[in-house]
Amino acid sequence: MKIVRTVSEMQQLSKSLQKEGKSIGLVPTMGYLHEGHQKLLREGRQQNDILILSIFLNPLQFGPTEDLDRYPKNEERDIDVAKNENVDIVFMPSVEEIYPSEMSHNISITKRTNILCGKTREGHFEGVVTVLAKLFNVTIPDNAYFGLKDAQQVSVVKAFVDDFNVPVNIVPVATVREEDGLAKSSRNVNLDTREREEAKYLYRALLHGKEFVEQGETDPKIIISAVSQFIIEHTHGKIDYVDLLSYPNLDHISEVTGDMILAVAVKFNGARLIDNVIFNKSGKLLYT
Ligand code: AMP
């Protein structure tokens, strides 16, 4: 397994692999790897000749009051995980390597960012798409793997590659959960004991909402309110949002119809957690 820290070396390597006719899979991450990341790596391993894992804690996608400084890191352990998953190349550049000077262009996103995480995390998705534009140009992947825990990210990134004809196939991967249902996240280690115990109720709240759909409820407002109530009753967290939208377009809906996403974000002291379930109008989960 090769560890590459510079843009020039990575780009040269990818260009020559591409010339040799090798297919390249990219799994972009911010490190502190867990089983969610491993699932992405396993899919990438199966579907490509060369598997690249990028680890880059991207400052551009964090707001000034967010948890960039508290984001967990463990480079050594991440490298061990990568080796165990048969990664070919770990691309782990420094911030200076990715952003050597002030940029003279910025990406502005005009759809799907005035809802869910886009509403409270101003500039977040612009930061995500900017770093991905760089990572795609540097690693030249055929396929790039993204977790549906961050379903809005998947939608925004898919729209970006479609808008700009970026020749990379975006592969969504189902959310990996702890035994009690909590979606795996690097941030979970920042929860204290009580918060970790309460965090399991996010997924339960989503399933509670989905049950309403299964039982024939068609009013999104009733479902959203039941999910919010469930979170308030079971946690001390502060609800950032609970919403039920069409999927994959993420439009507001006035009645339960087609494929939908029920998504939540809850702020605990230790971490802000997000989760979602995606299902059809009968309440059948689309990704498991
Ligand atoms: P991050 O390091 O948090 O930026 O995540 C890197 C990639 O892993 C993103 O595409 C995430 O959506 C994905 N990911 C994070 N947590 C999970 C999970 N529990 N299940 C599946 N994918 C995940």
Side-chain angles (χ1 to χ4, degrees), residues 62-268:
F62 286 78
T65 61
E66 292 181 1
D67 59 350
L68 177 61
D69 297 340
R70 286 189 303 126
Y71 202 87
K73 297 177 195 66
N74 191 336
E75 197 177 297
E76 229 171 275
R77 195 171 62 91
D78 286 350
I79 289 171
D80 282 344
V81 171
K83 275 188 193 146
N84 283 332
E85 297 300 334
N86 295 314
V87 168
D88 295 299
I89 302 165
V90 182
F91 178 49
M92 40 195 336
S94 65
V95 172
E96 295 71 33
E97 188 65 22
I98 293 292
Y99 301 113
S101 55
E102 197 184 329
M103 289 170 65
S104 49
H105 293 78
N106 62 23
I107 290 174
S108 83
I109 307 175
T110 50
K111 277 190 186 163
R112 301 187 186 87
T113 50
N114 58 348
I115 37 148
L116 307 180
C117 293
K119 218 163 148 181
T120 45
R121 300 192 70 189
E122 205 194 327
H124 169 69
F125 287 109
E126 285 77 4
V128 169
V129 169
T130 302
V131 79
L132 287 174
K134 284 171 171 276
L135 290 172
F136 291 162
N137 283 329
V138 173
T139 63
I140 325 175
D142 297 281
N143 300 298
Y145 296 81
F146 291 88
L148 282 164
K149 181 173 87 70
D150 302 283
Q152 186 174 15
Q153 174 169 277
V154 175
S155 289
V156 167
V157 172
K158 179 82 178 67
F160 168 70
V161 303
D162 288 348
D163 281 353
F164 291 97
N165 305 102
V166 183
V168 51
N169 175 39
I170 302 300
V171 185
V173 178
T175 302
V176 178
R177 300 179 179 283
E178 302 286 354
E179 260 175 32
D180 65 3
L182 173 64
K184 298 221 179 218
S185 165
S186 307
R187 290 185 166 99
N188 291 349
V189 291
N190 287 341
L191 300 171
D192 69 24
T193 314
R194 185 181 80 175
E195 290 174 333
R196 172 62 190 84
E197 178 56 25
E198 290 181 359
K200 69 181 180 205
Y201 289 106
L202 267 61
Y203 184 52
R204 292 183 193 193
L206 292 169
L207 295 180
H208 178 64
K210 189 176 81 68
E211 249 170 49
F212 276 67
V213 177
E214 280 163 33
Q215 285 164 12
E217 179 56 62
T218 57
D219 184 349
K221 283 200 208 86
I222 292 180
I223 298 161
I224 291 166
S225 146
V227 173
S228 305
Q229 200 51 42
F230 191 96
I231 293 171
I232 291 164
E233 272 166 26
H234 290 91
T235 80
H236 291 79
K238 185 173 171 297
I239 294 177
D240 187 347
Y241 62 75
V242 175
D243 218 340
L244 180 65
L245 303 169
S246 71
Y247 186 84
N249 283 345
L250 308 183
D251 291 322
H252 286 292
I253 48 175
S254 54
E255 114 180 307
V256 162
T257 176
D259 293 343
M260 287 158 286
I261 178 166
L262 179 58
V264 298
V266 177
K267 267 187 188 159
F268 291 96

